[in-house]
Amino acid sequence: MPKLKIDNVEIEVAPGTSILQAAEMLGHEVPRFCFHDKLSVPANCRMCLVEVKPGPPKPQASCALSCADNMEVFTDSPMVKKARKGVMEMLLINHPLDCPICDQGGECDLQDQAVGFGFDRSRYYESKRAVKDKNLGPLIKTVMTRCIQCTRCVRFADEVAGTAELGMMNRGEESEIGTFIEKTITTELSGNLIDVCPVGALTSKPYAFQARPWELKKTETIDVHDAVGANIRVDARGNEVMRILPRLNEDVNEEWIDDRTRFAYDGLKRQRLDRPYIRDDKTGRLRPASWDEAFAAVTAKINKSKNVAAFAGPLADAESMVALKDLIGTNLECRTDGTQYDVSSRAGYLFNSTIAGIEEADAILLVGTNPRFEAAMVNARIHKTWRNRRTKIGVVGEQHNLTYPTTYIGSGPSSLEDLVKGKGAFADVLANAKKPIIIIGMGAFKRADGAAVQSLCRELAEKFNAGFNVLHTAASRVAALDIGFVSDKLNVEHMDVVYLLGVDDRETLDRIDPKAFVIYQGHHGDAGAMRADVILPGSAYTEKNGLYVNIEGRVQAAKQAVWAPGEAREDWKIIRALSGYLGRALPYDDLAQLRTRIVKQWSHFGQVDTIVPAEWKKFGGAGKVEAQPFTSPIDNFYITNVITRASLTMAKCAETAAENAARHLEAAE
């Protein structure tokens, strides 16, 4: 353990710790541009210079210099101050005075460090150079003249996103960052380039000229576009969401989020349901109604019917599902995407190895999943594991470009049966691995023999002592399964009244009897609303407080950032009000009482941001598996739910992705 002095304060650090990191441990600020703790160290901006003794009589880059015994470091000496002023002066030689119109203004590292460590005048009188802006797609706005060549974007694209499409071109004054061949970037994590850029060279196109950071109210909450539960911050002005940024959570999403999470927020204000509607018997059309009218129509139908079913969609929060379960009682289902699997054991539907636990795996088997589309942050974690450990990864199902090399084993259940029997080269990989894991996607369960496939995967996990992990795509799914919002055999075709809580999946809508009375409670006028006889306008995830459980079984709390539009209300409040009209009022009047009721029956909901491990029990279904191959449940990353379908930004991204795919196919031919 090296011992050294930093600004006359003695410290002992772990071997390999850089001087910059050691100084931060003591609370001493060392400026930097190129250094980022999640990326490799290039040491090319030279802003983190410090004085080191013993050593040459010149400042040294603290990010690239490891601590050693008997070293003396000075982070604020006259030599260091002079060197940093010189470096800042050089960095600003070609930088334009764009601060008044730059979207990075107010949260720009270059601004902050120029004031804190720079020189108060310039001695440069030559012409400034200009660099042509690059077209990186519909999400990233470029002003490349501002670029200081820190290469953070290049390293992020290669090391985190796994798509090495950016690079440094030319030398000296002609140096610039681009894509070599003119093209848009294809990663689903491109929005993180905005976060890692320390200047205004890369900013958000949808957010351009919309607001300043000091105008925004910031709310820490949870993303619901997939089941990972990425930690996010919603920035709003008035009652409008202006942007969404990541929050640090090393166990879930680290400090990254995907483009769907970051940019789909414009869908929150389009095609919204802001008042109740009732379908007119004479015209067959939906007409605006009051809450009293809507509740009266629902009450009349439910009280007359003995066959009432309730379905919970992919964006529902735990409180609303519990309230709906308490109201309806039986005939409940949350697997609205047509998936079939056994839920008798919690271990049978959780990501038991945890997301952070992926980094410990020395062999990974992907079954019926495309994690790059289904859970981009899980895919980034797998890429990180491969990059750090060269973990061997096998695939059963469709082949996709997953940003890391894979071994293709087969397309269907027969390949799993061979692995259980110990056949094939990858069976040897699993047998020799110390911590293998299996990740099963919804593509393996979206079939009639889904429960049998689940049983086969369990046998495989037990044979090789591997972690069993289910990769859900719906944010509400694990919470719904935890509270028992499922039925073994639910014939929706025979139901007279169907209550849809944010359900827009065609797999469920197409099975409903055309004569059935349909109640749709949701926030967007999508497929479910078109089928409805009564519409009850609910709140989107940014407009309510709610609990969600991610794929690991981690309970997380979403916070309200803005108010719902018009007459829309929080989902659990709508169900509670309806229960009063039905004459069986639910025994809670506020959110605290409802959560107390939830925690009383399911105690793990009271342990927010904590994973309660599931007990391993036998699960899965009996019967033979079918020969048909597995297919991925998501073929378009950008269009997956009602919010993304309403988003113009996501529509542009989907169009660009289709053009890139067509161009790639044409080049391959």
Side-chain angles (χ1 to χ4, degrees), residues 328-437:
I328 302 300
T330 58
N331 297 327
L332 311 171
E333 187 56 82
C334 65
R335 294 167 292 184
T336 58
D337 52 1
T339 50
Q340 301 289 330
Y341 45 86
D342 178 25
V343 298
S344 59
S345 170
R346 195 165 186 253
Y349 59 81
L350 286 186
F351 203 96
N352 296 284
S353 299
T354 75
I355 297 171
I358 293 173
E359 296 185 30
E360 301 176 9
D362 51 1
I364 301 174
L365 177 64
L366 303 177
V367 180
T369 182
N370 175 8
R372 185 172 177 181
F373 282 10
E374 296 167 33
M377 299 319 307
V378 169
N379 195 66
R381 191 80 72 153
I382 296 173
H383 176 267
K384 179 181 180 181
T385 304
W386 168 80
R387 187 176 181 87
N388 293 339
R389 307 185 60 172
R390 288 299 184 261
T391 299
K392 293 184 178 180
I393 303 166
V395 173
V396 176
E398 293 180 336
Q399 295 190 74
H400 301 278
N401 176 13
L402 298 176
T403 72
Y404 41 81
T406 59
T407 300
Y408 185 65
I409 302 171
S411 62
S414 60
S415 300
L416 295 177
E417 292 175 324
D418 289 341
L419 288 173
V420 170
K421 297 174 183 176
K423 296 181 180 179
F426 205 80
D428 296 333
V429 171
L430 293 173
N432 295 325
K434 294 181 180 179
K435 281 194 174 183
I437 65 172

Side-chain angles (χ1 to χ4, degrees), residues 121-133:
R121 69 207 63 163
S122 173
R123 296 173 290 175
Y124 187 77
Y125 298 103
E126 304 297 326
S127 299
K128 289 180 178 282
R129 76 163 187 165
V131 181
K132 182 181 177 182
D133 294 340

Side-chain angles (χ1 to χ4, degrees), residues 514-635:
K515 297 179 181 178
F517 185 83
V518 177
I519 306 151
Y520 178 81
Q521 180 177 327
H523 43 76
H524 276 77
D526 207 272
M530 296 297 291
R531 174 62 184 85
D533 295 292
V534 172
I535 294 176
L536 307 176
S539 301
Y541 73 104
T542 55
E543 300 158 3
K544 60 185 175 182
N545 297 308
L547 296 177
Y548 291 87
V549 185
N550 77 344
I551 52 176
E552 312 165 287
R554 182 191 302 270
V555 178
Q556 299 188 104
K559 302 290 181 62
Q560 181 181 8
V562 295
W563 295 99
E567 298 179 43
R569 296 292 181 266
E570 292 181 47
D571 291 302
W572 78 267
K573 290 183 178 179
I574 296 172
I575 298 167
R576 170 63 182 83
L578 176 60
S579 70
Y581 277 79
L582 289 169
R584 44 179 188 268
L586 297 175
Y588 31 79
D589 298 319
D590 57 40
L591 190 62
Q593 292 178 359
L594 174 53
R595 287 184 174 175
T596 300
R597 176 261 181 275
I598 294 173
V599 173
K600 186 175 181 180
Q601 185 167 355
W602 303 283
S603 59
H604 66 282
F605 277 92
Q607 303 179 51
V608 176
D609 203 29
T610 301
I611 298 175
V612 179
E615 182 183 355
W616 187 261
K617 296 179 181 178
K618 186 175 181 179
F619 54 83
K624 292 185 178 180
V625 293
E626 300 175 2
Q628 66 189 77
F630 299 131
T631 58
S632 176
I634 297 177
D635 56 4

Side-chain angles (χ1 to χ4, degrees), residues 191-192 194-195 244-246 257-265:
N192 297 290
I194 300 167
D195 294 339
I244 290 177
L245 300 175
I257 53 174
D258 63 53
D259 292 343
R260 186 175 53 202
T261 298
R262 186 186 295 265
F263 294 108
Y265 60 85

